[in-house]
Amino acid sequence: MTLLTPDDLYNVSRQFEKNNDIIKRATGQGIRDICESVYNTRLGNEKIGIIPITAGNGIIDNFAESLFTITNYLKLDGFITNHTDVAGYYEAVNQNADILLMADDYVFIAHNLRNGKIATNHVCTGVIYAEIASRCKYADTKDILVIGLGKVGYAGASHLIRKGFNVYAYDPDNEALNSAVQELGVHPYDIHRDGKKFCMVFEATPNENTITKDMISERCLVSTPGIPCGLSPELGNDYDVDLVMEPLLIGVASMLYSVI
Ligand code: NAD
Ligand code: 2YG
Ligand code: MG
């Protein structure tokens, strides 16, 4: 389990703006348009109650504040409850929140109290980062590489299969890889043997240097929520990679659009 640190969340809106410029350059659309088309929804003036949760490792400094910044950025009416946990939940409902955002160490949810829809960060993050990778405007095939098939990677791989892509996937955990081969129909990709290079890469691991020069073509698009980043700055420069990597806003935008 990798938890965010306050440093990861430094100036989330600036980090997002830089990434949104890259997304626009590489796909032709920004994140709001992409979310609208994936979920077929539009954000309105929903009131978002953000509830700090003390369970497990407790409050992460900047987490609730960053979610509040994100709601402002998306022109939603966000507020952080004064109380934490169950008292905070009660407060958010009494303050007429339409959507609740809250996370413990294991699950981060958005719950729309008006329509009953609920979404998790790991699924919504996987879906939106995989979708971004799949929109690379320089790609001339439907072949896409997925690196890491944990909670985020599996959800993204599943989304790509539903969209009709040829999904090649790698995970050193054989159980994770075999499940994705059997349940989803991905092609197992052997990083040591295949030698196939990709223009579209979706990476979702908590490790560095998971992407090597044998896997990618020049000017490829790498879309990764993984922290730390799996692409080294040197390889990114040498291969002129369009890199999308941001700690919170993209995944949270995906959660909010998915419950509207
Ligand atoms: P997880 O532990 O469920 O899965 C990680 C998977 O990566 C595992 O199956 C592991 O075997 C695999 N892996 C490890 N090294 C690998 C390698 N070299 N090549 C291929 N696969 C490898 O984790 P998760 O919940 O899926 O999260 C993945 C990453 O995404 C974490 O770093 C997490 O913090 C991050 N995350 C970021 C956001 C965001 O908004 N940026 C949101 C959610 C999660
Ligand atoms: O309310 C709080 O401040 C804490 N209970 C939040 C805990 C969040 C823990 N989760 C993570 O750090 C991430 N793995 C999930 C968030 C995904 C966004 N990158
Ligand atoms: Mg994100």
Side-chain angles (χ1 to χ4, degrees), residues 156-172:
S158 171
H159 175 71
L160 294 169
I161 292 282
R162 277 195 304 274
K163 285 195 63 180
F165 281 81
N166 303 322
V167 180
Y168 292 77
Y170 174 69
D171 194 303

Side-chain angles (χ1 to χ4, degrees), residues 121 125 147-148 150-152 170-172 204-207 210 225-227 246-247:
N121 178 264
T125 299
I147 305 172
K151 295 177 289 298
V152 175
Y170 174 69
D171 194 303
T205 84
N207 294 325
T210 55
I227 303 171
E246 184 279 330

Side-chain angles (χ1 to χ4, degrees), residues 42-53:
R42 275 168 195 275
L43 299 182
N45 54 358
E46 286 78 11
K47 192 165 179 180
I48 315 292
I50 299 158
I51 305 159
I53 299 293

Side-chain angles (χ1 to χ4, degrees), residues 178-246:
N178 290 336
S179 301
V181 170
Q182 278 157 29
E183 294 163 13
L184 302 178
V186 307
H187 308 292
Y189 177 74
D190 184 334
I191 49 169
H192 305 294
R193 275 212 309 251
D194 275 307
K196 185 171 166 54
K197 285 174 175 268
F198 293 85
C199 186
M200 301 182 283
V201 178
F202 161 55
E203 196 268 11
T205 84
N207 294 325
E208 292 177 301
N209 300 319
T210 55
I211 300 172
T212 64
K213 61 179 171 31
D214 312 320
M215 303 173 182
I216 56 173
S217 51
E218 290 195 22
R219 297 241 53 208
C220 66
L221 172 57
V222 171
S223 175
T224 175
I227 303 171
C229 185
L231 180 75
S232 71
E234 297 75 27
L235 183 55
N237 276 333
D238 288 353
Y239 276 61
D240 199 11
V241 174
D242 278 327
L243 173 64
V244 176
M245 183 205 70
E246 184 279 330

Side-chain angles (χ1 to χ4, degrees), residues 28-199:
Q29 283 194 309
I31 198 67
R32 288 188 182 86
D33 289 333
I34 295 176
C35 283
E36 283 183 9
S37 90
V38 169
Y39 295 110
N40 203 16
T41 55
R42 275 168 195 275
L43 299 182
N45 54 358
E46 286 78 11
K47 192 165 179 180
I48 315 292
I50 299 158
I51 305 159
I53 299 293
T54 64
N57 285 287
I59 303 286
I60 296 176
D61 285 345
N62 282 348
F63 184 71
E65 293 75 9
S66 297
L67 294 179
F68 177 70
T69 304
I70 291 170
T71 57
N72 280 343
Y73 196 87
L74 296 172
K75 299 190 170 59
L76 297 166
D77 179 15
F79 67 99
I80 303 173
T81 56
N82 294 314
H83 295 93
T84 64
D85 307 302
V86 177
Y89 184 102
Y90 183 68
E91 181 186 335
V93 173
N94 273 319
Q95 293 297 317
N96 281 321
D98 299 305
I99 296 174
L100 306 179
L101 285 177
M102 57 186 159
D104 66 13
D105 295 345
Y106 299 99
V107 186
F108 173 16
I109 57 166
H111 188 190
N112 187 328
L113 299 176
R114 308 296 167 223
N115 62 16
K117 288 189 192 175
I118 188 162
T120 64
N121 178 264
H122 54 270
V123 169
C124 293
T125 299
V127 166
I128 200 67
Y129 277 84
E131 175 76 23
I132 292 166
S134 76
R135 287 177 173 237
C136 177
K137 65 185 186 194
Y138 307 111
D140 55 6
T141 75
K142 292 206 114 190
D143 294 351
I144 188 162
L145 177 62
V146 175
I147 305 172
L149 290 163
K151 295 177 289 298
V152 175
Y154 191 94
S158 171
H159 175 71
L160 294 169
I161 292 282
R162 277 195 304 274
K163 285 195 63 180
F165 281 81
N166 303 322
V167 180
Y168 292 77
Y170 174 69
D171 194 303
D173 176 343
N174 278 326
E175 211 174 301
L177 183 57
N178 290 336
S179 301
V181 170
Q182 278 157 29
E183 294 163 13
L184 302 178
V186 307
H187 308 292
Y189 177 74
D190 184 334
I191 49 169
H192 305 294
R193 275 212 309 251
D194 275 307
K196 185 171 166 54
K197 285 174 175 268
F198 293 85
C199 186

